[in-house]
Amino acid sequence: MSSGIPASSGLHVAIIPDGNGRWAVQRGRPRRAGHRAGAEAIRRVVDAAADLGIGHLTLFAFSSDNWERPAGEVEALFGLVRQFLLEQAPHWVGRGVRLRVIGRRDRLPTPLRAAIASAEEATAAGQGMQLRIAVDYSAREEILRAATRFYTTLEISQEAFGRMLARLSHTGESFPDVDLLIRTGGEQRLSDFLLWECAYAEMIFSKKLWPDFGEADLEEAIREYHTRPRRFGRLQAEKAG
Ligand code: IPE
Ligand code: IPE
Ligand code: MG
């Protein structure tokens, strides 16, 4: 672990890696080139997160609303995700990283579905960083699906609902709430990402475009996170009484 960073093994960090298209346009290149550079940044940041000892990491790769983009861009994105998973899975196995993909699978191209299944299976025994990549993901859709099934359950509680949500997201088991949400690209919104899980997330918005985001930026975000008092509606310890 890097020196000077407080222990982060209990943290769930979520990232909305935005700005690939603008990065490419600024360089007079096709948006696809931005997504390629974005995949490279994801590779670096996943490694950096594991080096920092972060316990849980969720990355937004493709939102259900991203289907509204031109077919060629969607196809390029899916191709990149597939290639990324095939390349990284053996590396993650070596690092003890476990991958789960959340979101809908039924609309994805068959080769991508196969790559997801194979990467999940290969990394299933990973006891290190728990990595989730969201593909064809919509938080509202997941919440709605969980709600429609939920009325048959006997235990009605936020915990039980959270477990149901996690099961529907193909994770099989529950994932902790998000502690820190990072979004690059300058926009300050959630764009339908982890709405339930971000109830008390600290948020850091970076103006950097995603392909320019690196290890040092992640470290800086974690450092800032550790300076923020989290109260969850209570009073700070020293002010209680
Ligand atoms: C984020 O970059 C990647 C995906 C949404 C898949 P964008 O493609 O949204 O990049 P900008 O926001 O247009 O720059
Ligand atoms: C959010 O980015 C989705 C991903 C990064 C995968 P978008 O670029 O799609 O979000 P909006 O349209 O700016 O809200
Ligand atoms: Mg965008």
Side-chain angles (χ1 to χ4, degrees):
M1 190 193 289
S2 296
S3 59
I5 301 268
S8 301
S9 61
L11 284 194
H12 179 188
V13 177
I15 303 182
I16 303 177
D18 197 18
N20 293 349
R22 280 164 281 169
W23 185 92
V25 168
Q26 280 176 4
R27 286 160 178 74
R29 293 166 70 188
R31 291 178 57 86
R32 212 172 318 118
H35 294 313
R36 251 199 315 277
E40 187 52 30
I42 288 184
R43 188 190 60 69
R44 290 196 306 268
V45 168
V46 169
D47 270 350
D51 289 343
L52 288 168
I54 289 167
H56 298 83
L57 177 67
T58 306
L59 288 157
F60 207 2
F62 187 88
S63 80
S64 296
D65 289 324
N66 290 149
W67 281 107
E68 302 296 326
R69 296 188 181 197
E73 178 164 348
V74 171
E75 203 178 307
L77 279 163
F78 288 156
L80 279 168
V81 175
R82 176 174 171 272
Q83 192 188 342
F84 178 73
L85 294 178
L86 292 174
E87 281 169 12
Q88 291 303 299
H91 172 67
W92 292 334
V93 170
R95 301 209 59 176
V97 171
R98 179 172 184 185
L99 169 81
R100 298 169 182 91
V101 172
I102 59 172
R104 283 180 67 164
R105 303 257 171 118
D106 58 306
R107 300 189 288 196
L108 300 180
T110 309
L112 175 54
R113 279 214 295 266
I116 291 171
S118 129
E120 284 183 331
E121 198 184 316
T123 63
Q127 299 285 319
M129 188 172 75
Q130 304 296 296
L131 169 66
R132 297 193 304 182
I133 298 183
V135 182
D136 196 0
Y137 174 88
S138 153
R140 282 188 165 184
E141 196 59 44
E142 299 280 278
I143 291 169
L144 202 58
R145 283 200 299 142
T148 55
R149 294 204 193 168
F150 194 59
Y151 72 96
T152 56
T153 60
L154 294 173
E155 188 197 346
I156 297 190
S157 68
Q158 289 193 9
E159 289 68 31
F161 188 81
R163 282 200 299 276
M164 165 86 71
L165 199 56
R167 264 206 305 283
L168 281 177
S169 305
H170 304 279
T171 55
E173 62 227 49
S174 57
F175 227 70
D177 280 350
V178 174
D179 297 296
L180 168 61
L181 182 282
I182 301 169
R183 180 170 186 147
T184 61
E187 316 292 1
Q188 304 194 357
R189 55 178 170 252
L190 286 174
S191 302
D192 203 8
F193 189 45
L194 301 176
L195 300 182
W196 175 274
E197 298 86 342
C198 280
Y200 273 98
E202 294 296 327
M203 301 195 180
I204 291 182
F205 298 103
S206 166
K207 287 202 165 57
K208 279 200 179 179
L209 302 175
W210 175 251
D212 294 328
F213 193 87
E215 295 91 325
D217 301 298
L218 179 68
E219 278 202 30
E220 194 186 315
I222 304 285
R223 245 185 254 281
E224 167 158 0
Y225 167 82
H226 283 292
T227 68
R228 295 191 182 181
R230 301 186 76 197
R231 288 187 287 276
F232 301 98
R234 305 180 195 111
L235 299 180
Q236 261 171 287
E238 66 269 24
K239 300 212 177 103

